[in-house]
Amino acid sequence: MGTVATNQAVIVAAGFGSRLQALRPGGQLIKPLEPVGGVPILRRVMETSLATGIEEVVLVTGHMAAELEAAVATWELGGKILFVRNDRYDLGNGISLLCGARACEGDFVLLMSDHLFEGDKLAGLLRTGRGANGATLAVDRKIDGCFDLDDATKVFLDGPRILEIDKQLKRYNAIDTGMFLISSEVVQLLEEVVALRGDASISDAMKQFIAQGRMGAFDVGDGRWHDVDTPEMFLEAERLVAAGFFAG
């Protein structure tokens, strides 16, 4: 399995972040800008991805897009940032993926704006590549270590191949970490889903690759990652950063 030549990462940051709103009662929260360990969540994600060799971040914005873009524009990140607006951010996150994928020139990395991760694991995903798969997902087999299993997207693996992915899976042996390496084919797949349903999730696109037998997995092994989606998850993120994880 060779390295895929990609230098672009799509980061979806268009949603409302409503479940984290409790951190700022009576105020307006822009979730990607919420600081963890004194650094905005999104900045941590962007800096980590750029440190792996990614040269351009395609940032998909929606909710409070102007405010988010203005803040990001002040950061000195050492890479190119392309802002792409998703005006239908009230729909599923697959719409944000579609907006970002259309701005890419080929294979790209997909990252979540609220998932902290270790840079060497993203580098490992890039080294592994996707081979003949339409997409490769970084997965975590350490199910017992998942902070909020009910909220996690579950994955059922057969060796390095993904057979099922969904939050509601009853049978699963790994967790979706939110790091993907994706072919540009995803644009057509998502356009077909949206044409049929008027909406789409990221999982909808991945299920299309699964149906083709072309969804691979990269095991993060002992690597750490963390979703920051609720106040409880936020406090755990603060604890992990204070303990020295996700630094730099």
Side-chain angles (χ1 to χ4, degrees), residues 88-150:
R88 297 181 293 167
Y89 57 86
D90 56 320
L91 298 179
N93 58 10
I95 305 298
S96 288
L97 169 55
L98 180 56
C99 290
R102 284 171 172 161
C104 293
E105 298 177 356
D107 289 352
F108 61 92
V109 171
L110 171 66
L111 302 170
M112 308 298 113
S113 63
D114 58 357
H115 281 211
L116 301 175
F117 58 91
E118 295 172 331
D120 64 329
K121 300 310 172 187
L122 176 58
L125 172 63
L126 288 167
R127 285 194 303 270
T128 298
R130 64 175 179 83
N133 292 315
T136 296
L137 168 63
V139 301
D140 188 355
R141 294 178 184 267
K142 305 185 299 298
I143 294 171
D144 291 343
C146 182
F147 183 77
D148 188 340
L149 190 56
D150 289 339

Side-chain angles (χ1 to χ4, degrees), residues 137 153-155 162 164-166 169 176 203 206-207 210:
L137 168 63
T153 298
K154 287 84 171 174
V155 178
I162 295 176
E164 294 181 90
I165 182 169
D166 201 278
L169 285 187
D176 170 358
S203 289
M206 298 308 110
K207 288 174 183 177
I210 289 171

Side-chain angles (χ1 to χ4, degrees), residues 50-197:
L50 291 167
T52 68
I54 294 295
E55 296 175 1
E56 180 180 53
V57 170
V58 178
L59 184 64
V60 184
T61 64
H63 175 60
M64 300 194 72
E67 293 84 352
L68 177 56
E69 291 170 6
V72 173
T74 68
W75 300 343
E76 296 182 4
L77 297 170
K80 182 180 177 183
I81 311 300
L82 174 64
F83 297 113
V84 174
R85 294 265 180 111
N86 170 15
D87 295 327
R88 297 181 293 167
Y89 57 86
D90 56 320
L91 298 179
N93 58 10
I95 305 298
S96 288
L97 169 55
L98 180 56
C99 290
R102 284 171 172 161
C104 293
E105 298 177 356
D107 289 352
F108 61 92
V109 171
L110 171 66
L111 302 170
M112 308 298 113
S113 63
D114 58 357
H115 281 211
L116 301 175
F117 58 91
E118 295 172 331
D120 64 329
K121 300 310 172 187
L122 176 58
L125 172 63
L126 288 167
R127 285 194 303 270
T128 298
R130 64 175 179 83
N133 292 315
T136 296
L137 168 63
V139 301
D140 188 355
R141 294 178 184 267
K142 305 185 299 298
I143 294 171
D144 291 343
C146 182
F147 183 77
D148 188 340
L149 190 56
D150 289 339
D151 187 68
T153 298
K154 287 84 171 174
V155 178
F156 182 67
L157 302 171
D158 180 11
R161 190 163 302 283
I162 295 176
L163 301 184
E164 294 181 90
I165 182 169
D166 201 278
K167 278 197 173 187
Q168 308 305 322
L169 285 187
K170 301 300 181 185
R171 177 184 67 163
Y172 55 91
N173 50 16
I175 302 297
D176 170 358
T177 71
M179 289 187 288
F180 299 78
L181 180 59
I182 303 180
S183 162
S184 59
E185 297 171 64
V186 76
V187 172
Q188 181 178 346
L189 294 183
L190 279 170
E191 286 176 344
E192 291 172 355
V193 173
V194 173
L196 286 172
R197 295 175 36 199

Side-chain angles (χ1 to χ4, degrees), residues 216-232:
F218 167 73
D219 189 346
V220 299
D222 61 358
R224 282 186 177 265
W225 62 280
H226 186 70
D227 184 4
V228 187
D229 205 31
T230 65
E232 293 78 16

